[in-house]
Amino acid sequence: MNHSPSNNVVVSAMISQERDIALIDELRGADAETACVEFKQNNADPDRIGVLCSALSNSARIEDKAVAYVLWGIDDSSHNVIGTTFSPDAQKVGNQDFQFWLAQLLKPDIALSFRTLQHPDGKVVMLEIPAATSAPVEFKGTAYCRIGSATPKLSDHPQRFQKLINNLRPYRWEKENAKTYQDADEVLKLLDYPKYFSLTGQNLPDHKAGILERLEADHLIVRDVGGRWNITNLGAILFATDLGKFDSSLARKAVRFIAYGGHNKSATVTHRHDGVKGYASGFEGLVGYINGLLPVNEHIGAALRESRPLFPEIAIRELIANALIHQDMTIQGAGPQIELFQDRIEITNPGDPLVQPDRMIDLPPRSRNEMLASLMRRMRFCEEQGSGLDKVVMSIEVYQLPPLKIQAEGGSTQVILYGPRSFAEMNRSERVRACYQHAVLKWLSGEKMKNSTLCERFGIDKKNAAQASQVISAALEEGKIKVADPDHPRAGYFPFWG
């Protein structure tokens, strides 16, 4: 059955209303008001509401809750729905609209949401208050907290203030909801749960409750009200059967692959693949698809000729995994992109790098998406320790390819892996970059880079060792390497920071 856009809006509104009523009933079911819930009938005093917003927002963060609520139309003692005359849209403070007045006096800004609902037992107004995120929320310059039904100044309770500060964390995209109020069957349709159990090495339970329990334990889903579930961004981005069934902002995070028949983007597009599955569900298929398209290069080994891919498979795998893990998920309308040209492959992800490009090989990785990174490492998509770039660079040296290029460009991070080119075909900057990366690998192994090891890296014959010496001199001149022992300049070299 097809639904018109207007019908879809109506259906969505009905689901939202149904969820809100279920939420009200769940909040009413508590034995008493909690630190994150306040019941009222008609009290519409603006200053009292402002103090409550500050107190409940701060207390929600102290209790590690995402939101807090004020409900009008609920009896304070019995929690029965008794209806209310309070109308936030009609409320004024002087000549100002009440909600605008309130927003001006709450700092930092919080996205308050007033909703008027027709509960089966009467009219209820619900105010949803997000938990504090960056700093304690103040009303008229004062921060409050919640103790029982009281709302004292936060400064008068240093232990609560300290807990609030400890709980204030940077925004966690992974924990936000991608879909809300889904029943169990819908969750299991939207998520590739068999792949989750396979990749994490767990036996697949033979009942829904066991499946949902494990998905919840890894923060892929969280409990909603009325026995329903929310799918987190983490769950969707990793295990969606179809990212198109989620919000467009999430769907645009799908991996895009484009192959060109030439050396630049003006060449004919020979292959294009727009990802549909979540990263974990589709990773092996994507890597296999790309490797299947790579040209094969004939390599003369020690005893015989052998055919091998143009690029090392481990390099493709690690670089794609890094792009998925380290992207900035908060950038709208952008996702990882892989572009294959005749002489190189470019892998781009949204967000400036958190580590200087020159130090990515040796420094521990810093990720904006720690939950995503942790789970992908657990599923062995990438290195358990480190960024995996040391193995990438090592494989590049084995293939004697031009050096890896990592650059920050226009709010994104781009890694370029080049196809085979001889030492003579590399320019000065490429030779210096290769020299630096070789020095880093040696340093990580507890060794020094020497003229002889650099000759081996470039495939330079020993009789032409002067060519390697020229590269070392250029790298020293550019400050990319340094002499390991000033008293014995030819004893070896370290990277500039070593």
Side-chain angles (χ1 to χ4, degrees):
M1 178 179 177
N2 294 322
H3 295 282
S4 69
S6 59
N7 285 339
N8 288 336
V9 170
V10 171
V11 170
S12 177
M14 289 173 63
I15 293 173
S16 178
Q17 178 93 351
E18 178 188 337
R19 180 189 180 275
D20 282 343
I21 290 172
L23 173 59
I24 290 168
D25 289 340
E26 188 161 295
L27 295 173
R28 290 195 304 120
D31 292 336
E33 286 179 332
T34 69
C36 301
V37 181
E38 169 89 2
F39 298 126
K40 293 187 171 300
Q41 183 178 1
N42 295 313
N43 190 328
D45 178 65
D47 284 293
R48 175 60 184 160
I49 295 172
V51 169
L52 274 173
C53 287
S54 167
L56 290 170
S57 180
N58 293 329
S59 293
R61 180 56 60 206
I62 290 170
E63 299 294 326
D64 205 20
K65 302 290 186 183
V67 290
Y69 302 92
V70 182
L71 298 176
W72 284 265
I74 309 294
D75 181 72
D76 191 24
S77 56
S78 69
H79 297 183
N80 291 333
V81 176
I82 55 177
T84 182
T85 59
F86 175 54
S87 177
D89 292 337
Q91 186 89 352
K92 296 283 187 182
V93 181
N95 293 323
Q96 278 189 307
D97 176 81
F98 163 63
Q99 294 183 51
F100 178 72
W101 172 87
L102 183 61
Q104 285 184 307
L105 296 174
L106 288 168
K107 301 296 177 187
D109 292 338
I110 52 176
L112 301 175
S113 173
F114 283 94
R115 300 200 287 280
T116 300
L117 306 157
Q118 292 303 321
H119 187 277
D121 297 328
K123 175 185 168 184
V124 175
V125 173
M126 178 164 61
L127 169 57
E128 191 172 85
I129 306 167
T133 55
S134 58
V137 174
E138 299 178 344
F139 175 66
K140 292 186 175 181
T142 302
Y144 298 87
C145 64
R146 176 92 162 180
I147 301 178
S149 59
T151 52
K153 293 180 181 179
L154 182 61
S155 58
D156 292 340
H157 298 272
Q159 288 185 333
R160 290 177 184 268
F161 177 81
Q162 188 57 52
K163 187 173 182 182
L164 171 61
I165 297 302
N166 291 341
N167 284 357
L168 285 172
R169 300 185 181 95
Y171 172 75
R172 297 289 292 273
W173 178 89
E174 301 136 304
K175 296 180 77 172
E176 293 294 306
N177 292 327
K179 266 195 182 294
T180 59
Y181 204 58
Q182 303 294 304
D183 63 30
D185 288 337
E186 194 62 28
V187 168
L188 299 185
K189 286 179 186 175
L190 290 166
L191 298 183
D192 186 358
Y193 65 91
K195 181 67 77 173
Y196 161 77
F197 282 94
S198 171
L199 290 172
T200 55
Q202 303 177 77
N203 292 326
L204 179 63
D206 57 6
H207 50 89
K208 288 180 192 176
I211 295 172
L212 296 170
E213 180 182 28
R214 294 311 309 158
L215 296 178
E216 182 184 22
D218 265 328
H219 309 288
L220 306 178
I221 60 174
V222 294
R223 294 178 189 273
D224 201 347
V225 297
R228 305 257 183 145
W229 297 88
N230 299 332
I231 299 175
T232 64
N233 282 339
L234 178 66
I237 202 64
L238 283 178
F239 293 105
T241 55
D242 182 354
L243 284 166
K245 293 182 179 178
F246 292 83
D247 185 85
S248 60
S249 63
L250 192 68
R252 291 192 185 101
K253 299 296 177 190
V255 182
R256 175 179 295 176
F257 171 79
I258 306 170
Y260 299 91
H263 297 281
N264 54 54
K265 294 184 181 183
S266 65
T268 303
V269 173
T270 60
H271 296 82
R272 185 185 182 109
H273 176 75
D274 293 319
V276 172
K277 295 182 179 180
Y279 295 165
S281 297
F283 187 83
E284 295 296 349
L286 174 65
V287 172
Y289 176 76
I290 294 172
N291 283 330
L293 293 176
L294 296 181
V296 174
N297 189 44
E298 190 174 66
H299 171 70
I300 302 176
L304 45 82
R305 293 176 182 270
E306 60 178 350
S307 294
R308 63 186 185 189
L310 194 65
F311 307 107
E313 290 187 16
I314 188 173
I316 300 291
R317 183 183 184 88
E318 288 289 340
L319 293 176
I320 292 175
N322 275 346
L324 301 182
I325 288 171
H326 298 300
Q327 66 181 299
D328 186 345
M329 296 291 193
T330 65
I331 295 177
Q332 296 292 316
Q337 180 164 289
I338 305 164
E339 295 172 292
L340 177 63
F341 300 88
Q342 284 190 338
D343 62 341
R344 69 193 186 280
I345 187 167
E346 298 181 358
I347 301 172
T348 308
N349 63 267
D352 292 318
L354 297 179
V355 176
Q356 291 179 356
D358 273 352
R359 302 302 305 276
M360 284 186 181
I361 304 172
D362 68 288
L363 288 178
R366 290 177 57 203
S367 177
R368 298 175 176 90
N369 314 298
E370 288 299 337
M371 296 169 71
L372 175 68
S374 175
L375 195 47
M376 287 195 72
R377 288 177 188 133
R378 220 175 89 206
M379 295 185 293
R380 300 182 181 179
F381 287 121
C382 51
E383 285 291 289
E384 185 66 33
Q385 300 295 330
S387 66
L389 284 180
D390 53 346
K391 286 190 175 181
V392 172
V393 174
M394 199 176 299
S395 69
I396 288 171
E397 292 202 351
V398 169
Y399 275 54
Q400 291 184 342
L401 301 177
L404 189 70
K405 186 175 184 180
I406 308 171
Q407 58 189 10
E409 190 174 75
S412 63
T413 303
Q414 185 176 71
V415 179
I416 305 175
L417 183 60
Y418 293 95
R421 266 189 285 128
S422 67
F423 174 77
E425 293 172 315
M426 293 185 206
N427 59 37
R428 173 187 163 112
S429 65
E430 289 175 323
R431 293 173 181 178
V432 168
R433 190 164 69 249
C435 176
Y436 167 72
Q437 291 178 5
H438 180 65
V440 174
L441 287 186
K442 288 298 179 184
W443 186 86
L444 290 173
S445 301
E447 304 173 41
K448 301 181 186 70
M449 181 188 75
K450 297 182 179 180
N451 182 287
S452 59
T453 68
L454 192 60
C455 282
E456 184 179 352
R457 187 268 178 257
F458 282 124
I460 298 173
D461 193 279
K462 289 182 180 179
K463 66 183 180 182
N464 296 321
Q467 293 177 329
S469 298
Q470 291 174 355
V471 175
I472 290 172
S473 295
L476 286 167
E477 182 183 324
E478 293 187 20
K480 294 298 184 182
I481 61 172
K482 66 180 182 181
V483 175
D485 182 355
D487 295 331
H488 303 86
R490 295 187 179 276
Y493 305 89
F494 285 153
F496 67 89
W497 42 260

